[in-house]
Amino acid sequence: MKKIIPFLIFCSLSFFGKSHAQTFDSISYKKMYKEVHENPFFDDSLTDATKIAGLSKAWAEAKFNFANFDLIPTVNWDSIYHAYIPVALAAKTTKEYYQVLTRFYTHLNDGHTTVIPPKELWNEMYAAIPIRAKLMNGAVVVTNLFYPIEEYQLLKPGTIITEINGQPVQEYSAEHISPYSSHSTPQDSLARLYSFNFTRGALAEHLDLEIVTPEGERIRKSFKRIPAEVLFSFGRDWTYRKNNNST
């Protein structure tokens, strides 16, 4: 029987918590990363046993491997784990379950430590509008349009996004995106949230945006999200380079 096993990212531990004598094996890491995403332990049927097993796996990985508990002395990881047991058991779908695990890991306050769902769920959780933006003087301003096709021409750099689905953009982000976003500092949180995360969600769901063009025209328009595999480089060919002789 397949089990739901969360894929966990511990960048701060995996590469920098080792002895300087140990080198980074990029070939093995690339192979492992591809295998995890191309052959995930995925099963869309949830039982109470698999929910507890996955949550416990996530708890244990951080409990015994997370390197930065000294930076969060007020966080009681065991207590948080116990508080999340009924939350995990209440999840009705695999997507909801992975949202619980992702929210669980935000308590570690580390931008490089998170739970990544299986690739089968990426278009349920990671599809997005193909833009990058930045929070500037309280306004969310488009800084880059990755796919300048006609459908997205209104989202050219300099465009201000004021609302998403009828909510002010910062209110929408705080309610729907921020609870699942891992970050290390308040500045890191804002940078991650408003660069690309704030339009993430299900591929099948459109986003109704209110925008102000660089010319000052206020427009409302519905935009489709782009599939996650188009936006992400995961699973494609990558290259690695050494920063120095110790990594």
Side-chain angles (χ1 to χ4, degrees), residues 13 29 33 38 67 72 79 114 140 149 155 183 201 223:
L13 174 73
Y29 180 79
Y33 201 93
E38 291 177 1
I72 48 173
S79 178
T114 190
V140 178
I149 60 177
L155 298 176
H183 58 270
F223 293 91

Side-chain angles (χ1 to χ4, degrees), residues 180-211:
Y180 312 104
S181 179
S182 291
H183 58 270
S184 302
T185 65
Q187 297 86 347
D188 181 36
S189 173
L190 293 177
R192 291 171 183 270
L193 191 58
Y194 293 108
S195 59
F196 51 85
N197 285 352
F198 73 105
T199 69
R200 280 181 174 179
L203 179 63
E205 299 173 358
H206 294 190
L207 286 180
D208 295 323
L209 304 185
E210 180 185 83
I211 63 174

Side-chain angles (χ1 to χ4, degrees), residues 4-6 8 52-62 81 104-105:
I4 296 175
I5 306 294
L8 311 173
I52 295 299
L55 179 66
S56 299
K57 173 68 172 177
W59 167 80
E61 287 291 342
Y81 164 67
F104 178 45
Y105 260 42

Side-chain angles (χ1 to χ4, degrees), residues 81-93:
Y81 164 67
H82 284 285
Y84 267 78
I85 290 174
V87 182
L89 289 173
K92 294 180 174 60
T93 66

Side-chain angles (χ1 to χ4, degrees), residues 96-108:
E96 288 183 12
Y97 178 68
Y98 272 95
Q99 287 177 323
V100 170
L101 294 183
T102 302
R103 194 164 73 245
F104 178 45
Y105 260 42
T106 64
H107 294 279
L108 295 172

Side-chain angles (χ1 to χ4, degrees), residues 145-217:
L145 175 59
F146 297 116
Y147 294 93
I149 60 177
E150 183 176 356
E151 181 177 355
Y152 300 106
Q153 281 300 308
L154 286 174
L155 298 176
K156 60 186 177 182
T159 299
I160 298 173
I161 300 175
T162 57
E163 291 186 3
I164 299 179
N165 292 347
Q167 289 181 276
V169 62
Q170 294 191 49
E171 179 183 303
Y172 173 90
S173 298
E175 180 179 343
H176 300 283
I177 308 299
S178 184
Y180 312 104
S181 179
S182 291
H183 58 270
S184 302
T185 65
Q187 297 86 347
D188 181 36
S189 173
L190 293 177
R192 291 171 183 270
L193 191 58
Y194 293 108
S195 59
F196 51 85
N197 285 352
F198 73 105
T199 69
R200 280 181 174 179
L203 179 63
E205 299 173 358
H206 294 190
L207 286 180
D208 295 323
L209 304 185
E210 180 185 83
I211 63 174
V212 178
T213 69
E215 296 75 29
E217 183 179 4

